[in-house]
Amino acid sequence: MRTYSFLTVLLWSCMFHAIHMMPSQKRTNKHSHSERITGLSENGGKTLHRTKRGWMWNQFFLLEEYTGPDTQYVGKLHTDQDKGDGNLKYILTGDGAGSLFIIDENTGDIHAAKKLDREEKSLYVLRAKAIDRKTGRQVEPESEFIIKIHDINDNEPKFTKDMYTASIPEMSGVGTSVIQVTATDADDANYGNSAKVVYSILQGQPYFSVDPETGIIKTALPDMSRENREQYQVVIQAKDMGGQMGGLSGTTTVNITLTDVNDNPPRFPQSTYQFSSPESAPPGTPLGRIKANDPDVGENAEIEYSISNGDGSDMFDIVTDKDTQEGIITVKKHLDFENKMLYTLRVEATNTHPDPRFLQLGPFKDTASVKISVEDVDEPPVFSRPWYLIEVDEDAKEGSIIGQVVAQDPDITKNAIKYSVDRHTDLDRIFNIYSGNGSLFISKPLDREETPWHNITVIATEINNPKQSSQIPVFIRILDINDHAPEFAKYYETFVCENAKAGQLIQTVSAVDKDEPPQGHKFFFELVPEFAVHPNFSIVDNKDNTAGIMTRRNGYSRSKMSTYLLPIIIFDNDYPIQSSTGTLTIRVCACDSRGNMQSCSAEALLLPAGLSTGALVAILLCIIILLLVVLFTALKRQRKKEPLIISKDDVRDNIVTYNDEGGGEEDTQAFDIGTLRNPEAREESKMRRDVIPETIFQIRRTAPLWENIDVQDFIHRRLKENDLDPAAPPYDSLATYAYEGNDSIANSLSSLESLTTEGNQDYDYLSDWGPRFKKLADMYGGEDSDRD
């Protein structure tokens, strides 16, 4: 405490003498006392004045982090205008005035009221005034002064990061730079060694070192291998005061990772591998995996597998699994146990990204031997061809052999084979095959015009093992035979004008043929021999599969002959020659002078000349109105017909006979009760509702029987009519009648004739009649049902 006060007084004394002994740029130019200097100037001898400095201060110094019990004395403001009589008042303004720095307004003494930290603020600029208490006027102009805070070593060095992360390739040389760490000290670097930092390594030796001045971490050992150790943790210390004792320090941690380089070749863990494959394995089937070990990682551990040599290099292949770095051996071609049972391969594993710096360590590849044994399996039959093409004439007879397919068992046992046709490809069963030798023959006639190609599938199956079968497509082409005669290409509507001239072309006809001769179609046209010299028309063959119909005379009359029939024979030129006769209908029409048809109707000539079109329309309307009146009257009469039985008390049972169970009481479509109640309706011409008649026949009219009061006789007559009717179908049909019959073996279910005493009635059998009589059984089956 005392030491600090002494230093302050000493410093202030030095400053005081320095202020009076040294001129300062901070001093003002206006003072109360001045010294007059007389002299001549270049401008003509003006009097010059030199102002005498009045303030007795310039700047002050103060130590930071003062911990004494009293306020820290900074310095004293004093002016030569102060006579010590207390008339002057000192006022302090600026940075920290009144809060950090307090001034005694009578004496000008300045004290620091609080502990100061240079790292927060190292310089304070203040302004001072001296005021006359009586007049309130400044005796000195306001001037600035500076208080500088002197640094002490109170801050330790701090690194920019609490933890650093760095990496360096393995096998790096000694002195390879890894990373630079930086620590800063908040103390004043211009004042002593408080901010001078020195770096040292506390942890990480002997692998790494650090430059004491720059903080650069470097490798200290050669050929560090990532495969031996990958992670290192280095602790670096930064100490101020130039690393001397008493200095403050800080530490940081640096995590260093050795990155991989391709310094290790792949190596197979074993020299020989063995696999097996069934001979039925298709190409692309994986047989097994092999892997060469590489301690490197990433792309440095990527391996490419290949087959270098061996007797199975053309039968097998190997591909690399990029995810697992394994070699997958696959089947390349179809295997045959009977041909070869064992293969030997030489597989090579090579790094895909070798590092030239380490090629001197040796070749970055390795080889291993792979043996693959082929296992025998029961294989299906093999056809001699991948497909068959058979051509057959369409007139080939049924049973003719058209071709043969051949298959054999590839196994050593050479099992017998049977052949069959896949009927899904030959639904019409046109072709068949001999199961023993595979010969195909025809079962039905062929028609090229209907189906020119047939694509069937033949199946070959081992007799001892039906599960082993194979299929082969057989394409059968039907060759054309000239079995169709040519005919007109279309229906021709031909006419000749009444005013036609001889030699005039009235129609050009052409022909078509369903056959397809190899040289193409060639048709010839001529009239039938009976009309070789037709008196009215002639035909001219155009030699291009068309012919022209020509007139042979002048003028034609519709009144004499309205239509001419001209038979024409059409021949083809294939073998055997086919021909057909087509009849051309030629109508005689009225034409204008240009030959345009106007009318071809012969009946138009017979109409009376005085009957106009309007009259014809009027007659037609009258006929239509008359038909409507008659139809309306007939319908009205039909509605007024009364049924035979109109009394509500006339109740008759309806018995329906049919050959199925029917819908019970709810089935109202099975018969028409109106027919029974109105027998007269039965006499109308109505078709049977239960069948669709193939021909319309005349209903035989019979004498009305509704006047017969004997219903049984009425029914018997109707039954006899149906039995003798030849137009009635020979199967069950609906019959409606209203007579129950006599001497029925079934007792009546009606309660009208029941005994008055219910004691001897047993209705339990109703429950055995099924669900249709359940409601009736519930009503009569219970003993107490009526009593309840």
Side-chain angles (χ1 to χ4, degrees):
M1 182 71 68
R2 294 177 180 175
T3 304
Y4 283 122
S5 300
F6 173 75
L7 291 174
T8 304
V9 174
L10 179 62
L11 289 173
W12 178 85
S13 301
C14 293
M15 290 187 295
F16 183 82
H17 292 292
I19 292 172
H20 285 275
M21 295 177 64
M22 297 175 59
S24 176
Q25 297 178 359
K26 300 286 185 178
R27 308 294 292 273
T28 60
N29 294 325
K30 295 180 181 181
H31 302 281
S32 59
H33 297 282
S34 62
E35 180 181 11
R36 180 170 296 184
I37 301 176
T38 303
L40 297 176
S41 67
E42 296 179 356
N43 294 331
K46 292 183 179 179
T47 302
L48 300 178
H49 297 273
R50 184 178 66 184
T51 303
K52 187 177 181 179
R53 292 166 295 193
W55 286 110
M56 305 300 294
W57 55 276
N58 185 280
Q59 63 181 1
F60 302 101
F61 296 91
L62 187 64
L63 290 175
E64 66 171 338
E65 303 294 342
Y66 174 73
T67 58
D70 300 329
T71 57
Q72 186 179 7
Y73 183 72
V74 179
K76 184 180 181 66
L77 296 180
H78 184 73
T79 177
D80 53 4
Q81 298 295 327
D82 188 1
K83 304 302 182 178
D85 52 4
N87 290 330
L88 295 181
K89 178 181 180 182
Y90 294 96
I91 300 176
L92 185 65
T93 60
D95 295 340
S99 59
L100 295 178
F101 302 102
I102 303 173
I103 188 171
D104 189 334
E105 62 181 14
N106 295 320
T107 62
D109 293 328
I110 302 174
H111 291 81
K114 297 181 180 179
K115 181 174 64 173
L116 302 177
D117 189 355
R118 189 201 66 84
E119 286 71 34
E120 293 182 1
K121 190 175 181 65
S122 62
L123 184 69
Y124 295 87
V125 180
L126 295 98
R127 291 175 294 278
K129 297 180 183 179
I131 301 175
D132 190 333
R133 292 180 182 272
K134 295 180 180 181
T135 62
R137 299 178 60 185
Q138 294 184 8
V139 298
E140 287 282 355
E142 184 181 58
S143 298
E144 287 185 353
F145 68 94
I146 298 173
I147 299 178
K148 290 185 177 182
I149 309 301
H150 274 178
D151 181 49
I152 63 173
N153 189 17
D154 59 344
N155 291 281
E156 72 278 0
K158 292 184 178 180
F159 286 93
T160 56
K161 295 181 180 179
D162 294 335
M163 180 177 293
Y164 291 84
T165 302
S167 62
I168 184 175
E170 63 173 334
M171 308 300 289
S172 297
V174 177
T176 302
S177 178
V178 180
I179 191 175
Q180 183 179 15
V181 294
T182 304
T184 58
D185 197 319
D187 294 326
D188 190 358
N190 299 321
Y191 182 76
N193 294 327
S194 299
K196 186 177 181 181
V197 178
V198 175
Y199 300 94
S200 61
I201 184 169
L202 301 181
Q203 178 183 327
Q205 295 175 331
Y207 307 103
F208 299 95
S209 63
V210 64
D211 189 294
E213 295 182 359
T214 62
I216 297 176
I217 300 174
K218 301 178 181 180
T219 58
L221 286 180
D223 301 333
M224 287 189 294
S225 176
R226 184 200 63 83
E227 289 75 26
N228 295 332
R229 183 176 178 182
E230 185 177 5
Q231 298 288 339
Y232 294 87
Q233 190 175 73
V234 179
V235 178
I236 303 298
Q237 181 189 64
K239 191 174 184 179
D240 59 11
M241 298 299 293
Q244 298 177 5
M245 293 184 62
L248 303 178
S249 64
T251 59
T252 187
T253 302
V254 182
N255 292 323
I256 301 176
T257 302
L258 294 185
T259 58
D260 185 58
V261 297
N262 195 0
D263 59 338
N264 295 281
R267 291 288 182 264
F268 283 106
Q270 59 192 69
S271 59
T272 304
Y273 295 86
Q274 291 185 352
F275 300 99
S276 62
S277 171
E279 62 175 338
S280 61
T285 302
L287 303 181
R289 292 172 177 253
I290 61 175
K291 183 176 183 180
N293 298 325
D294 191 334
D296 296 324
V297 294
E299 68 175 13
N300 297 321
E302 292 182 1
I303 301 174
E304 185 71 26
Y305 295 90
S306 61
I307 298 176
S308 59
N309 53 40
D311 57 1
S313 58
D314 58 339
M315 302 298 296
F316 301 93
D317 198 3
I318 186 169
V319 295
T320 303
D321 189 336
K322 299 299 183 181
D323 296 330
T324 62
Q325 295 302 314
E326 293 177 320
I328 305 174
I329 299 176
T330 60
V331 178
K332 187 176 182 181
K333 295 182 180 180
H334 287 285
L335 303 176
D336 189 358
F337 172 81
E338 291 73 23
N339 186 26
K340 191 174 180 62
M341 295 180 290
L342 182 65
Y343 293 90
T344 302
L345 307 176
R346 197 71 180 171
V347 177
E348 186 177 87
T350 307
N351 276 139
T352 57
H353 300 88
D355 194 331
R357 297 177 298 171
F358 306 103
L359 293 179
Q360 71 277 4
L361 299 178
F364 279 75
K365 61 182 179 180
D366 194 15
T367 58
S369 177
V370 178
K371 294 183 179 181
I372 302 174
S373 59
V374 180
E375 299 176 350
D376 186 26
V377 296
D378 190 5
E379 298 177 272
V382 178
F383 285 91
S384 60
R385 301 180 189 176
W387 49 270
Y388 290 86
L389 174 62
I390 299 176
E391 294 182 344
V392 57
D393 294 332
E394 65 175 324
D395 61 347
K397 297 181 179 180
E398 298 180 16
S400 300
I401 295 177
I402 60 175
Q404 184 182 19
V405 296
V406 179
Q408 63 179 356
D409 184 8
D411 298 322
I412 298 177
T413 56
K414 300 299 180 183
N415 293 324
I417 296 173
K418 65 176 181 179
Y419 301 89
S420 61
V421 176
D422 185 358
R423 290 307 173 187
H424 293 90
T425 61
D426 185 25
L427 297 177
D428 296 332
R429 296 181 176 270
I430 299 176
F431 303 96
N432 211 331
I433 191 171
Y434 290 108
S435 61
N437 58 10
S439 297
L440 288 164
F441 62 92
I442 302 173
S443 299
K444 292 183 179 181
L446 303 176
D447 188 356
R448 188 205 64 83
E449 287 71 31
E450 181 180 351
T451 307
W453 283 89
H454 294 271
N455 301 328
I456 66 174
T457 300
V458 175
I459 303 173
T461 307
E462 292 185 9
I463 296 178
N464 296 334
N465 186 7
K467 294 183 179 179
Q468 295 297 332
S469 63
S470 57
Q471 301 178 351
I472 194 72
V474 179
F475 308 106
I476 303 175
R477 179 184 179 184
I478 310 301
L479 301 179
D480 184 42
I481 297 297
N482 192 24
D483 56 347
H484 289 82
E487 55 187 16
F488 281 130
K490 63 178 182 178
Y491 174 76
Y492 294 97
E493 294 183 356
T494 307
F495 70 93
V496 61
C497 295
E498 289 182 311
N499 56 358
K501 304 296 182 180
Q504 182 177 341
L505 177 66
I506 63 173
Q507 182 68 60
T508 300
V509 296
S510 61
V512 293
D513 194 338
K514 295 181 180 180
D515 297 321
E516 293 183 1
Q519 294 79 18
H521 292 289
K522 182 64 179 177
F523 303 121
F524 304 95
F525 302 86
E526 64 180 36
L527 296 176
V528 296
E530 293 81 359
F531 297 95
V533 181
H534 198 280
N536 297 306
F537 303 97
S538 63
I539 185 169
V540 178
D541 195 335
N542 297 326
K543 308 299 181 182
D544 60 353
N545 295 335
T546 63
I549 309 300
M550 312 293 292
T551 59
R552 296 196 64 183
R553 64 185 178 88
N554 296 328
Y556 296 86
S557 175
R558 284 186 293 168
S559 60
K560 295 180 179 180
M561 181 67 72
S562 61
T563 303
Y564 293 90
L565 300 179
L566 186 64
I568 300 174
I569 301 178
I570 308 173
F571 300 88
D572 59 20
N573 67 335
D574 204 355
Y575 180 82
I577 295 177
Q578 300 287 343
S579 65
S580 67
T581 301
T583 301
L584 190 66
T585 301
I586 304 174
R587 295 183 299 165
V588 180
C589 302
C591 303
D592 58 13
S593 59
R594 297 181 180 179
N596 297 322
M597 181 182 65
Q598 291 182 340
S599 174
C600 294
S601 175
E603 290 75 5
L605 300 175
L606 304 177
L607 292 176
L611 191 59
S612 63
T613 304
L616 293 176
V617 173
I619 293 173
L620 183 61
L621 290 175
C622 292
I623 294 174
I624 293 174
I625 294 173
L626 182 60
L627 291 175
L628 293 175
V629 171
V630 173
L631 180 62
F632 177 76
T633 304
L635 293 175
K636 188 173 181 180
R637 288 183 177 181
Q638 184 177 3
R639 292 180 180 178
K640 291 183 178 181
K641 291 182 180 180
E642 295 294 336
L644 179 63
I645 302 174
I646 59 176
S647 176
K648 295 183 179 180
D649 298 330
D650 186 8
V651 178
R652 303 183 184 181
D653 293 337
N654 297 309
I655 301 177
V656 180
T657 301
Y658 37 76
N659 59 355
D660 58 353
E661 187 174 6
E665 298 177 359
E666 298 179 357
D667 188 358
T668 60
Q669 302 297 327
F671 57 93
D672 185 6
I673 194 171
T675 302
L676 177 65
R677 297 188 178 277
N678 187 5
E680 185 178 3
R682 182 73 171 87
E683 302 301 326
E684 297 180 2
S685 298
K686 292 184 179 181
M687 306 301 296
R688 299 173 66 92
R689 295 189 303 166
D690 56 340
V691 295
I692 299 177
E694 295 183 357
T695 58
I696 301 176
F697 55 88
Q698 184 67 27
I699 302 297
R700 291 184 293 107
R701 306 294 296 177
T702 58
L705 301 176
W706 54 85
E707 296 178 358
N708 194 343
I709 58 176
D710 189 354
V711 178
Q712 182 178 5
D713 185 31
F714 165 76
I715 293 174
H716 288 165
R717 291 193 180 189
R718 282 288 182 258
L719 291 175
K720 185 176 181 181
E721 289 177 3
N722 286 320
D723 293 336
L724 299 178
D725 189 359
Y731 48 82
D732 296 340
S733 71
L734 174 66
T736 304
Y737 50 90
Y739 182 70
E740 184 176 348
N742 296 327
D743 300 328
S744 174
I745 60 174
N747 294 327
S748 175
L749 296 178
S750 175
S751 61
L752 297 177
E753 298 178 358
S754 302
L755 298 177
T756 56
T757 304
E758 296 180 355
N760 58 350
Q761 296 294 323
D762 186 7
Y763 299 102
D764 293 340
Y765 60 88
L766 294 177
S767 59
D768 300 333
W769 288 10
R772 295 179 180 271
F773 296 90
K774 182 177 184 304
K775 185 174 181 180
L776 191 62
D778 294 340
M779 295 175 58
Y780 292 93
E783 297 180 356
D784 301 332
S785 60
D786 293 339
R787 296 187 182 95
D788 294 341

